């Protein structure tokens, strides 16, 4: 009759790898042939270890296994969630709707209010509610510089918030407005974009350091170099929202991207490089602006014209006519910033009969310009893609 197999009695107390090396005392005593006693002790760790005994060889081998990795990851994820950054988000009146959409994206973003009033002489009379309550908090302000008349009152708040002993301060300015029409062509021209950049570069430093400035699709690429060292510009783009929307279209496999000029191509082509590309070229003949096809083939394609912003819309309409003449089956457009001064959005018709020369299938804009969003809401061909999720993610960097 063969001898009974050896038995292993293991008393395992909480420990981890570091404890094994530095804080644990391991005692092993082997009782010949029949049994093994193993004692592993530690008093300061919570992880559960398992012990395997390999008995095919002599001597018996003890194998210690760390805790299940999925449990560790879950614990780590839970810890990360608990430590996620909480942000107090203030906003100007124009941005109220977008602010609420941003807060809906995350439980860690809390909306805070500002009282926007004016004195009898018209100058701002502003009040930050519960100013003591934001001490030590991460604070952000959602701004809209839609006109010169609202910039001063918002700058007053922007300069005040970092000085309230906050941990960090982030300024979210989705649309950087100045410089979109400026041409520095002769002595005496003033670059107001540079002026605004210098003003924002001198926002007071908070306890956590310089102000973070979040801007989407700034118009002129050189403008990013206008900012000084006392501000940390974070340049984001609305194009990922467009890409997600294009994937939802029934003809998503027949999309081509058209750029109205070389500037738009330089700015966006890397983000849209997986689509067939069409590049247009703007030339001036007297007072006329003529758009010509520089490269690419729009025949039979659903062509989406992509640019950073639209003002009067003249260039987009000329581009639409040119693409239709070259055989495009459908024409749509995307701009991050729909400015549309003097209700110029009324120029854009909806193509309902498959005649791309007469209108657009879709015209996508973001909610960076809230006044425009109110005007074009529920009016075809316009469709608003919200920056809320992108801004919420950026606030947690």
């Amino acid at each position: 009759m063969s001898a009974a197999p050896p038995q292993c009695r293991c008393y395992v107390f909480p420990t981890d790898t570091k404890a094994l090396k530095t804080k644990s005392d391991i005692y092993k005593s082997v009782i010949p042939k029949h049994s093994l006693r193993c004692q592993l002790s530690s008093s300061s760790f919570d992880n559960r270890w398992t012990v395997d005994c390999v008995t095919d060889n002599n001597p018996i081998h003890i194998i210690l296994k760390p805790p299940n990795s999925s449990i560790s990851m879950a614990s780590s994820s839970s810890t990360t969630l608990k430590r996620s950054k909480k942000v107090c988000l203030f906003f100007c009146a124009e941005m109220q709707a977008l602010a609420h959409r941003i807060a809906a994206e995350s439980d860690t973003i809390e909306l805070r209010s500002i009282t926007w009033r004016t004195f009898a002489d018209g100058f701002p009379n502003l009040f930050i509610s519960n100013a003591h309550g934001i001490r030590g908090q991460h604070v952000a302000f959602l701004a809209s510089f839609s006109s010169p008349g609202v910039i001063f009152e918002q700058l007053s708040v922007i300069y005040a918030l970092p000085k309230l002993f906050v941990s960090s301060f982030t300024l979210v300015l989705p649309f950087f407005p100045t410089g979109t029409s400026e041409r520095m062509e002769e002595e005496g021209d003033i670059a107001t974009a540079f002026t605004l950049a210098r003003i924002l570069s001198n926002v007071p430093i908070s306890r956590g350091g310089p102000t973070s400035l979040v801007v989407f699709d700034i118009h002129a690429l050189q403008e990013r170099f206008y900012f000084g060292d006392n501000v940390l510009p974070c340049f984001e783009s609305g194009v990922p929202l467009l890409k997600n929307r294009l994937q939802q279209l029934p003809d998503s496999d027949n999309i081509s991207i058209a750029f109205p000029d070389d500037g738009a191509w330089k700015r966006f082509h890397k983000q849209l490089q997986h689509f067939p590309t069409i590049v247009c070229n703007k030339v001036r003949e007297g007072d006329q602006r003529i758009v010509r096809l520089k490269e690419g083939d729009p025949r039979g394609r659903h062509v989406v014209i992509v640019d950073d912003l639209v003002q009067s819309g003249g260039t987009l309409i000329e581009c639409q006519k040119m693409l239709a003449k070259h055989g495009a089956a459908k024409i749509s457009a995307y701009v991050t910033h729909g400015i549309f001064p003097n209700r110029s959005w009324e120029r854009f018709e909806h193509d309902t009969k498959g005649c791309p020369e007469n209108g657009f299938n879709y015209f996508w804009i973001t909610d960076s310009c809230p006044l425009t969003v109110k005007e074009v809401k529920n009016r075809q061909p316009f469709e608003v893609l919200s920056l809320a999720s992108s801004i919420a993610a950026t606030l947690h960097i």
Side-chain angles (χ1 to χ4, degrees), residues 75-200:
S75 175
S76 174
S77 177
S78 175
T79 302
T80 301
L81 187 61
K82 291 179 181 178
R83 295 179 181 176
S84 59
K85 181 178 176 181
K86 294 184 179 180
V87 180
C88 298
L89 178 61
F90 293 86
F91 53 92
C92 68
E94 287 181 14
M95 285 296 193
Q96 182 174 353
L98 178 55
H100 281 274
R101 284 192 286 270
I102 294 170
E105 292 287 334
S106 172
D107 293 336
T108 60
I109 298 177
E110 178 184 352
L111 296 183
R112 296 296 185 95
S113 62
I114 294 174
T115 303
W116 303 88
R117 300 170 299 193
T118 56
F119 292 107
D121 59 3
F123 276 84
N125 177 14
L126 310 171
F127 180 72
I128 300 172
S129 303
N130 191 24
H132 286 281
I134 64 173
R135 288 185 174 183
Q137 303 293 318
H138 298 287
V139 173
F141 180 73
L142 179 61
S144 174
F145 291 177
S146 58
S147 70
V150 300
I151 293 179
F152 177 68
E153 63 180 12
Q154 292 181 59
L155 284 175
S156 300
V157 172
I158 291 166
Y159 269 62
L161 285 171
K163 299 166 73 173
L164 295 176
F165 295 94
V166 300
S167 290
S168 68
F169 180 62
T170 301
L171 171 59
V172 182
L173 182 62
F175 174 47
F176 186 82
T178 60
T180 58
S181 302
E182 292 178 350
R183 298 290 183 271
M184 306 305 297
E185 296 175 343
E186 60 179 310
E187 189 70 24
D189 286 335
I190 297 175
T192 59
F194 182 59
T195 304
L196 182 58
R198 284 193 294 176
I199 292 173
L200 296 178

Side-chain angles (χ1 to χ4, degrees), residues 25 33 57-58 65 79 101 105 112 117 119 133 161 165 246 282 300 307 319 337 352 387:
D25 297 316
K33 298 182 181 180
N57 302 311
N58 193 11
K65 293 184 177 181
T79 302
R101 284 192 286 270
E105 292 287 334
R112 296 296 185 95
R117 300 170 299 193
F119 292 107
L161 285 171
F165 295 94
L246 294 181
K282 292 186 294 186
D307 209 349
C319 194
H337 311 296
T352 58
L387 296 171

